[in-house]
Amino acid sequence: MGRATLRRLLRRTTAGAIGFVIVIAMILTAVLGPLWAPYAPNTPDYAHAREAPSAVHLGGTDDFGRDIFSRVLYGARISMTVGFLGVVIGLIPGALLGLIAGYAGGWLDEVVMRVIDVLLAFPGILLAIAMVAVLGPGLVNIIIAIGFFGIPVYTRLVRGSTLQAKELAYVEAVRAQGARAPRILIRHILPNVVAPIIVISTLQLASAILTESALSFLGLGAPPPTPEWGAILTNAKDDLATLPYMALFPGAALVITVLGFNLLGDGLRDVLDPRMKM
Amino acid sequence: MGYYILRRVLSATPTLLGVTLAVFMFVHVLPGDPARLMAGIEATEDSVQLVRRSLGLDKPLWVQYGIYLNNLIHGSLGASNRDAAPVSTHIMQAFGPTFFLTVAAMLVAIAIGLAAGMIAAVSHGRVLDFTTTSLAMFGISLPSFVLALALIWIFGVDLRWFPTGGDQGAASLVLPAITLGAGAAATIARISRSEMLEVLAQDYIRVAKAKGHRLRMVVLQHALPNTLIPVITVIGLHFGFLISGAIIVETVFAWPGLGRLLIDSISFRDYPVIQGVVLVFALEFVAVNLLVDVLYARIDPRVRYQ
């Protein structure tokens, strides 16, 4: 993202600017959160278990007396890491497949798109859940699952843009000069596809973070006592009648983060790719 | 029309076959012995052998796939290794609750989404538009389990208006249906707003207004039908997401549907049931997409001749 794009994003789209600020804040929290956290995330303190929010424990404490606010700060690191890695793991093979299928056309395109159709037949997070059921619970497997279920999104997007780009006059000119396919794809077609990839990746980050916390909420994520937002919410669920505040910080952190990425993605779409504007 | 439906069904067939192949391979990519996995961890060596033979796991992979397809056509999905009951029985029992939940959620989503989208479009650029679009963005970003916890706390624990879980008649459907429908409502609101804005700028709307029709009539009779096609696509797409969203919502609300069956089966490593439920979810999704295409052609005849 160039400086000009950033300036346009901040000036022209209020929502995009808000999203940008939230995302930067969340990235800072992921990096520096452990420095800000008043307590260690996993050290039990039974003398102060199940305390309501106070000046000492901003978000209250859980069954083990662990400080919920500190756990949520540490959780930012997990969510952001899993989200980013998951998106990158889906992006690279997905984009490559899309480039190759779109440029080659013919039977190769047909085969790739049929496989993608099958992957798309598994709705939403079902593919991720099925993969974690196969691979077993855990953060690494969640990253793989999130990446895997992102592949068809990128393949379709990049293939579509490649189909358009390869008909452009300058691409034909380069081809007439004898450039080989890999060079054409990487030097001349890929730059055309970057804008939609950035937009979709930002939105995919939101859904990756959602998927990760949903899987953890279902008990398919990292084993306890990992301070993961979805897992903290699962704990909170059991005490909702007596200690409803336990859900407040992890729930808010999750909603704000996902909202931030969604707003930023929408803003970027308006700035980078007006054709996709809703 | 009949020809069009036939063509669409035929073109969905490779996808359907691909789905069965993917689900069939599911157990075979697992590390370890598929027969042992299907029979269960605690099964005796004899029953593992029995499973191996009855599932044909000693035969080549492509023969096994043939057997799997053949069983599938005859409605057999194997037996649960938790209680030895046929997987199809488990699925039949859980299918109804999930179906009702999904349909109820969709109705909630359509009612709220369409109304919100129309209101926002009609008050374009004003406070009401801003409020509705902001709420829709919030709704899209709100994870269903966070919304579920908030609703359970407010309406279940605090106000005691609705049950917080289980299946105790129609009242217990309310909170899960709202939870599941909220995300789809937000998306429908966004799409119908932008479609409505586009339609409202058309000449025939200006004519209708110029003829002195009241705004409400112009919107409902002239604009709404023309916004429905893209909205139906989104509704159809979202039906699939509702199906998978049900996995989380059913787990939170202890709703006895397919989603909860899936999560329970994962914790018991009951692979035959996991395999069956995943297959049913995927087939349902493909079927809904097919239905949307057909509906589409019914509303807009141009689609049929492409």
Side-chain angles (χ1 to χ4, degrees):
Chain A
M1 184 164 49
R3 201 174 289 173
T5 313
L6 184 62
R7 202 176 306 131
R8 267 195 299 169
L9 175 81
L10 295 178
R11 284 209 188 136
R12 285 202 205 152
T13 63
T14 323
I18 296 174
F20 181 75
V21 171
I22 294 177
V23 167
I24 294 293
M26 280 301 159
I27 293 175
L28 280 178
T29 310
V31 178
L32 302 173
L35 294 178
W36 302 337
Y39 297 88
N42 297 329
T43 317
D45 176 9
Y46 295 103
H48 297 98
R50 303 162 73 85
E51 276 182 9
S54 64
V56 188
H57 293 287
L58 267 181
T61 59
D62 65 8
D63 289 357
F64 300 95
R66 298 174 299 198
D67 181 58
I68 292 178
F69 180 65
S70 301
R71 286 176 66 73
V72 169
L73 282 180
Y74 273 87
R77 181 171 282 193
I78 296 176
S79 282
M80 300 298 264
T81 312
V82 173
F84 272 106
L85 288 180
V87 166
V88 170
I89 285 180
L91 169 63
I92 293 170
L96 272 178
L97 275 176
L99 273 176
I100 294 168
Y103 190 75
W107 65 269
L108 192 60
D109 183 33
E110 191 67 26
V111 170
V112 169
M113 291 324 284
R114 281 297 169 192
V115 174
I116 294 300
D117 277 348
V118 171
L119 284 181
L120 285 171
F122 295 90
I125 74 166
L126 180 67
L127 197 61
I129 289 180
M131 282 201 65
V132 174
V134 173
L135 302 171
L139 282 181
V140 174
N141 291 343
I142 287 191
I143 294 174
I144 297 172
I146 288 175
F148 199 74
F149 107 126
I151 290 177
V153 178
Y154 290 109
T155 305
R156 286 235 295 209
L157 175 80
V158 172
R159 174 183 174 267
S161 308
T162 307
L163 281 178
Q164 283 175 359
K166 80 170 176 185
E167 303 299 332
L168 294 176
Y170 78 88
V171 173
E172 254 179 75
V174 185
R175 194 166 19 201
Q177 283 171 2
R180 298 231 202 127
R183 189 185 156 85
I184 298 177
L185 279 177
I186 298 196
R187 289 283 303 272
H188 303 285
I189 291 187
L190 196 59
N192 269 300
V193 193
V194 167
I197 286 183
I198 290 176
V199 173
I200 295 295
S201 298
T202 314
L203 296 171
Q204 281 289 108
L205 259 164
S207 93
I209 291 171
L210 260 180
T211 307
E212 180 258 347
S213 58
L215 289 173
S216 296
F217 182 78
L218 292 172
L220 303 173
T226 314
E228 201 287 328
W229 293 342
I232 304 174
L233 279 168
T234 309
N235 284 342
K237 183 183 79 174
D238 302 329
D239 286 314
L240 208 55
T242 44
L243 308 165
Y245 58 81
M246 270 172 69
L248 203 64
F249 271 97
L254 187 55
V255 174
I256 291 171
T257 310
V258 175
L259 187 66
F261 278 105
N262 276 335
L263 287 173
L264 180 63
D266 263 18
L268 284 173
R269 172 161 52 200
D270 293 351
V271 173
L272 287 176
D273 197 352
R275 279 167 306 168
M276 291 166 72
K277 190 169 179 174
M278 288 210 335
Chain B
M1 191 72 198
Y3 175 70
Y4 175 78
I5 295 176
L6 185 73
R7 217 177 56 193
R8 285 297 297 122
V9 171
L10 283 181
S11 72
T13 312
T15 312
L16 284 175
L17 277 176
V19 167
T20 58
L21 185 64
V23 174
F24 164 75
M25 289 308 291
F26 182 75
V27 182
H28 292 271
V29 294
L30 287 166
D33 177 9
R36 161 124 337 249
L37 286 170
M38 296 301 270
I41 309 291
E42 297 94 30
T44 61
E45 190 51 40
D46 283 351
S47 55
V48 172
Q49 284 302 332
L50 198 70
V51 167
R52 196 188 314 278
R53 241 171 298 130
S54 71
L55 293 178
L57 290 170
D58 43 358
K59 298 191 173 73
L61 217 53
W62 61 273
V63 177
Q64 289 183 42
Y65 178 59
I67 297 172
Y68 174 76
L69 270 188
N70 190 41
N71 286 340
L72 204 64
I73 291 167
H74 294 93
S76 164
L77 290 163
S80 158
N81 58 29
R82 213 172 356 151
D83 56 7
V87 173
S88 48
T89 312
H90 280 290
I91 289 179
M92 294 290 238
Q93 272 169 4
F95 189 83
T98 297
F99 181 76
F100 285 124
L101 175 60
T102 325
V103 171
M106 201 72 232
L107 292 179
V108 170
I110 294 173
I112 297 176
L114 264 186
M118 275 194 300
I119 291 171
V122 171
S123 51
H124 181 51
R126 278 180 276 161
V127 180
L128 201 53
D129 181 23
F130 178 75
T131 317
T132 320
T133 23
S134 307
L135 268 177
M137 193 66 199
F138 186 70
I140 286 176
S141 307
L142 189 63
S144 59
F145 51 96
V146 174
L147 178 61
L149 293 184
L151 290 179
I152 290 178
W153 180 51
I154 298 170
F155 296 104
V157 177
D158 207 44
L159 297 171
R160 293 179 184 279
W161 286 0
F162 301 105
T164 56
D167 184 4
Q168 309 155 31
S172 40
L173 192 59
V174 176
L175 295 185
I178 294 176
T179 307
L180 188 54
T187 313
I188 293 174
R190 276 159 63 100
I191 298 288
S192 53
R193 172 182 174 272
S194 66
E195 288 303 322
M196 182 65 91
L197 279 178
E198 214 160 280
V199 170
L200 286 178
Q202 300 291 322
D203 285 341
Y204 59 84
I205 297 293
R206 203 170 307 141
V207 171
K209 278 189 194 160
K211 278 162 73 181
H213 288 309
R214 280 196 302 179
L215 182 68
R216 184 188 301 172
M217 215 181 97
V218 175
V219 170
L220 290 181
Q221 289 202 343
H222 298 270
L224 185 61
N226 287 300
T227 61
L228 279 185
I229 289 189
V231 173
I232 284 178
T233 317
V234 171
I235 292 174
L237 270 176
H238 261 269
F239 214 85
F241 290 108
L242 283 189
I243 296 171
S244 61
I247 299 170
I248 295 162
V249 174
E250 285 176 6
T251 310
V252 186
F253 288 98
W255 186 257
L258 284 172
R260 198 161 143 239
L261 179 64
L262 177 67
I263 298 301
D264 283 353
S265 306
I266 288 177
S267 52
F268 281 97
R269 304 184 135 262
D270 191 349
Y271 287 106
V273 177
I274 300 175
Q275 208 179 13
V277 176
V278 171
L279 181 70
V280 169
F281 272 130
L283 293 185
E284 221 182 322
F285 191 43
V286 176
V288 168
N289 281 340
L290 202 62
L291 203 70
V292 172
D293 277 353
V294 172
L295 208 62
Y296 214 89
R298 175 111 199 113
I299 299 175
D300 187 353
R302 284 172 300 181
V303 174
R304 268 176 263 167
Y305 301 107
Q306 271 170 18

